[in-house]
Amino acid sequence: MNYNELIKEAFEARKFSYAPYSRFHVGAALLTADGKVYRGCNIESASHTPSCCAERTAFFKAISSGEKDFKAIAIVAAAADTPLDEFEYCAPCGVCRQVMVEFCHLDNFEVILAKSEEDYKIYSLNELLPLSFTGKELL
Ligand code: THU
């Protein structure tokens, strides 16, 4: 699976976004080392705190299915009804970055922020969350 296809998966995931409060619809597609894709969308709650970002939805689906090795995640986001040619890059929130650090390689895992299937930027976790708390200190 190439990154254009992975981004397409993220756009498909975004269609299921449940975001009646923010109206900000996010889709993510998480690629495993052996080529499987787990889609996620953001899921909001009237009491806000239980809401979950698209990225964590994808990660928790994958982890709870037994996946351990991850290669990349593609993220697409925009307010509801945004025309496809007006998408901006959307960086993951701090909580999602911390979840990524838990399960992914700091240099090799690729976080793809996409405006379209062809227009995207790639970051490592080290770039997105420098000096991160990895939990090594706890072991
Ligand atoms: N959101 C995501 O799903 N991922 C991000 O990277 C940023 C924010 C969601 C959470 C909430 O449902 C809405 O976008 C507005 O913050």
Side-chain angles (χ1 to χ4, degrees):
M1 150 123 359
N2 64 39
Y3 285 167
N4 307 83
E5 291 168 326
L6 190 65
I7 293 164
K8 193 173 187 171
E9 292 281 334
F11 274 106
E12 287 302 310
R14 182 177 173 272
K15 291 180 181 168
F16 296 111
S17 164
Y18 177 75
Y21 307 105
S22 72
R23 288 179 44 81
F24 191 67
H25 291 189
V26 187
L30 176 62
L31 181 64
T32 67
D34 60 359
K36 272 185 259 161
V37 175
Y38 289 84
R39 294 179 183 174
C41 62
N42 56 330
I43 303 167
E44 297 185 345
S45 161
S47 62
H48 298 298
T49 314
S51 299
C52 192
C53 291
E55 298 89 326
R56 272 176 292 142
T57 303
F59 264 95
F60 295 157
K61 282 172 69 178
I63 298 293
S64 59
S65 302
E67 302 294 348
K68 289 188 169 60
D69 295 329
F70 300 105
K71 184 171 166 27
I73 189 167
I75 303 162
V76 297
D81 305 323
T82 301
L84 280 175
D85 61 356
E86 289 179 20
F87 274 52
E88 299 292 340
Y89 305 119
C90 178
C93 79
V95 174
C96 289
R97 293 178 202 206
Q98 187 67 40
V99 168
M100 292 179 200
V101 164
E102 184 74 29
F103 296 108
C104 303
H105 194 281
L106 291 174
D107 295 307
N108 297 344
F109 182 72
E110 300 197 296
V111 182
I112 303 157
L113 315 185
K115 290 186 183 183
S116 70
E117 282 173 41
E118 296 78 29
D119 184 350
Y120 58 88
K121 297 196 286 195
I122 300 179
Y123 294 91
S124 71
L125 285 176
N126 256 336
E127 289 174 302
L128 293 181
L129 196 62
L131 211 69
S132 57
F133 179 67
T134 63
K136 274 197 302 253
E137 301 82 350
L138 302 176
L139 300 173

